[in-house]
Amino acid sequence: MADSALSDDPALLPEARAAQRRAVRVLGTAQVFSGLGNGATLSLGSILAVELSGAESTAGFVNTAMTLGSAAVSIPLSTLAVRRGRRVALGIGLAAGLLGQALMVAAVVTRFFPVLLLGAFLVGFAAAVNLQARFAVTDLSEPRHRGRDLSVVVWAVTVGAVVGPNMVGPGAVVSGWLGLPVHAGPFLISGAGMAVGAAIILTGLRPDPLLLRRWLEETAESPTSAGHGAETMAPDPGPGAGEPSIPAVPGTAVVAPGFRPSGRARISPRSGGWAAGWRIVRAQPTALAAVLTVAGAHAAMVGLMSMTPLHLQHEAGLTSSELGQHPDTVVLIGFTLSLHVAGMYALSPVMGLLADRLGPARVAGAGLTVLVAAAALMGWFLHQHAAVVTGLILLGLGWSAATVAGSTLLVAALRPADRVPAQGFSDAVMSLAAAVSSLAAGPIMGGLGFTGLSAALAGVVVLCGIGVAALVRGQPVRP
């Protein structure tokens, strides 16, 4: 098993652990800032779509554009990660998201609906980075701590994602200073957060965890590594000579005083694309169950969440044109979504620990069950604000359990060489499912109401749960 490259050779383990600790810190810190963008787009997207287009049927279009952007870029980002490392792939994705935030501001200023959709599409690139960061932190994780490490990076999104929907008030102040429309400010603040996140990843994610893992595996398998890596782990010739240097991997830099690159790793990129990812996933039933789990959970969560602001607007008895005259209602909607986002991320470390201790398949099943309960609560008690808020929190908790456990299950089900293409495929399917859900949510809510939408999405989750149970039954999971 390739994991033994990290666990069986004591000479390599300290370097892997040091790099892993740094990766957790860097990715977690970057997630705090980059999460701002998604929160602002989700909270204002449906409202701006209706306002700029003049049609309530377009309420889900912004979220659809964002999830389509995430789906479109997930596989290219994973392919780029294989070729150039996680640092380059994640940094480029956030840079594209920053451009998307600028276009969102331009759309608010020009009141041109297509620009709003294009901006949301590019913001989806940053959303894809937030998803892939959870996999990046598992590149050097010990098997027994995968769920924990993955969930810590997911949890780090909490600050940005919770603050993002509440940027309406501070954003209005910023807009006033700059003489811009009131809804432009939140996207300016979100863009600044993305810029900080990109800078942290590009400057701090060294050594690159994916490239370092590959170097460690190749070193362990190479005949020249028999002498404890003496030929490839040369001592630093400068101050501190005699200390082993960190493995030299393209795209990495010094990570501690006294360490210096000492060679170059051989990179063997694997082909990417939908076909490559699908071949890997379908060959392993447990991996297929993991993809089905995260796709079903994400579709249900996004479909309900994207329509909740419009439902709350209707409950307040306001039209889209009147909503701008009631900032208190907009703030209430943002706060309600913040509670949902807190449910998504705040307890993710708990979900990771449970996945490590109880097994990811069990936790994933529990998450899907909570999602069904949340949809039932929101659909049945749709006129009671407290019930809708409670349902949104449960929706976030169910998503957290299913996503953290499902992602952990995917990593555990596959050989290291197959993981990155499968991860890109999984994120693409996850985002595409959410895009379809978001696109269909508006017409379904228009025809069947919020209750009909909740029932339809609960049915989707039930079908996914049945499929997952059938796929994982009797299947072993790789450590």
Side-chain angles (χ1 to χ4, degrees), residues 165-195:
N166 290 289
M167 284 292 100
V168 176
V173 175
V174 173
S175 296
W177 290 342
L178 300 176
L180 296 173
V182 65
H183 285 156
F187 298 111
L188 290 172
I189 297 174
S190 298
M194 280 190 182

Side-chain angles (χ1 to χ4, degrees), residues 30 72 218 277 297 337 387 403 446 471:
E218 291 177 352
L337 286 182
T403 302
L471 286 167

Side-chain angles (χ1 to χ4, degrees), residues 362-391:
R362 291 175 181 169
V363 178
L368 294 177
T369 302
V370 173
L371 284 169
V372 173
L377 180 63
M378 294 175 68
W380 191 260
F381 299 101
L382 71 162
H383 299 303
Q384 299 182 24
H385 185 75
V388 173
V389 171
T390 302

Side-chain angles (χ1 to χ4, degrees), residues 62-473:
V62 168
N63 199 55
T64 300
M66 189 170 75
T67 49
L68 282 175
S70 183
V73 81
S74 291
I75 289 177
L77 282 182
S78 67
T79 302
L80 182 61
V82 170
R83 297 175 184 273
R84 300 289 303 278
R86 298 284 193 183
R87 184 178 67 89
V88 172
L90 299 181
I92 288 176
L94 284 180
L98 179 58
L99 176 59
Q101 293 291 345
L103 289 176
M104 298 291 278
V105 173
V108 173
V109 173
T110 62
R111 301 187 64 79
F112 192 43
F113 185 54
V115 174
L116 183 72
L117 296 182
L118 179 59
F121 183 83
L122 290 177
V123 170
F125 285 32
V129 168
N130 293 147
L131 290 175
Q132 294 203 4
R134 77 194 194 281
F135 286 129
V137 81
T138 67
D139 289 334
L140 291 171
S141 284
E142 296 180 56
R144 63 194 178 101
H145 292 317
R146 280 197 193 111
R148 181 199 66 184
D149 291 349
L150 185 150
S151 65
V152 166
V153 171
V154 173
W155 172 83
V157 180
T158 304
V159 176
V162 171
V163 171
N166 290 289
M167 284 292 100
V168 176
V173 175
V174 173
S175 296
W177 290 342
L178 300 176
L180 296 173
V182 65
H183 285 156
F187 298 111
L188 290 172
I189 297 174
S190 298
M194 280 190 182
V196 172
I200 289 172
I201 286 177
L202 289 172
T203 61
L205 197 60
R206 299 172 182 268
D208 187 286
L210 180 59
L211 299 185
L212 177 57
R213 171 158 192 140
R214 184 182 296 131
W215 189 93
L216 292 172
E217 291 173 348
E218 291 177 352
T219 299
E221 295 169 2
S222 170
T224 62
S225 65
H228 300 290
E231 296 180 12
T232 54
M233 300 281 287
D236 186 345
E243 295 178 333
S245 67
I246 214 74
V249 183
T252 68
V254 178
V255 295
F259 290 99
R260 180 179 303 170
S262 57
R264 297 189 66 83
R266 177 176 57 86
I267 304 298
S268 302
R270 293 176 61 87
S271 60
W274 284 87
W278 171 239
R279 281 195 302 270
I280 293 169
V281 168
R282 73 175 179 179
Q284 173 51 257
T286 304
L288 187 58
V291 173
L292 188 59
T293 296
V294 297
H298 204 50
M301 184 276 292
V302 168
L304 273 175
M305 183 186 62
S306 63
M307 290 296 103
T308 297
L310 190 60
H311 170 67
L312 295 177
Q313 175 188 314
H314 291 165
E315 289 295 300
L318 300 174
T319 64
S320 297
S321 59
E322 296 171 338
L323 188 62
Q325 304 169 13
H326 295 79
D328 54 334
T329 301
V330 177
V331 171
L332 177 62
I333 291 173
F335 178 71
T336 299
L337 286 182
S338 292
L339 294 176
H340 161 71
V341 173
M344 290 173 63
Y345 298 113
L347 294 182
S348 56
V350 176
M351 306 303 178
L353 290 173
L354 290 174
D356 286 337
R357 294 184 180 182
L358 303 179
R362 291 175 181 169
V363 178
L368 294 177
T369 302
V370 173
L371 284 169
V372 173
L377 180 63
M378 294 175 68
W380 191 260
F381 299 101
L382 71 162
H383 299 303
Q384 299 182 24
H385 185 75
V388 173
V389 171
T390 302
L392 277 175
I393 295 173
L394 288 175
L395 190 71
L397 291 172
W399 177 90
S400 179
T403 302
V404 169
S407 302
T408 304
L409 186 65
L410 180 64
V411 174
L414 300 171
R415 298 182 301 113
D418 291 333
R419 286 173 185 163
V420 179
Q423 290 163 1
F425 175 80
S426 174
D427 283 349
V429 171
M430 181 180 179
S431 297
L432 189 60
V436 172
S437 175
S438 180
L439 187 63
I444 292 175
M445 182 170 162
L448 301 177
F450 196 65
T451 297
L453 175 64
S454 301
L457 292 173
V460 169
V461 176
V462 169
L463 291 176
C464 288
I466 294 172
V468 168
L471 286 167
V472 301
R473 186 177 294 116

Side-chain angles (χ1 to χ4, degrees), residues 8-102:
D8 291 347
D9 190 342
L12 299 179
L13 192 56
E15 286 80 5
R17 283 180 168 172
Q20 173 64 5
R21 288 193 296 269
R22 182 178 178 88
V24 172
R25 290 195 302 269
V26 170
L27 290 170
T29 305
Q31 291 280 79
V32 170
F33 292 97
S34 63
L36 281 171
N38 298 335
T41 305
L42 289 173
S43 64
L44 290 175
S46 61
I47 294 171
L48 284 175
V50 174
E51 180 182 332
L52 298 187
S53 69
E56 288 199 352
S57 60
T58 65
F61 281 21
V62 168
N63 199 55
T64 300
M66 189 170 75
T67 49
L68 282 175
S70 183
V73 81
S74 291
I75 289 177
L77 282 182
S78 67
T79 302
L80 182 61
V82 170
R83 297 175 184 273
R84 300 289 303 278
R86 298 284 193 183
R87 184 178 67 89
V88 172
L90 299 181
I92 288 176
L94 284 180
L98 179 58
L99 176 59
Q101 293 291 345

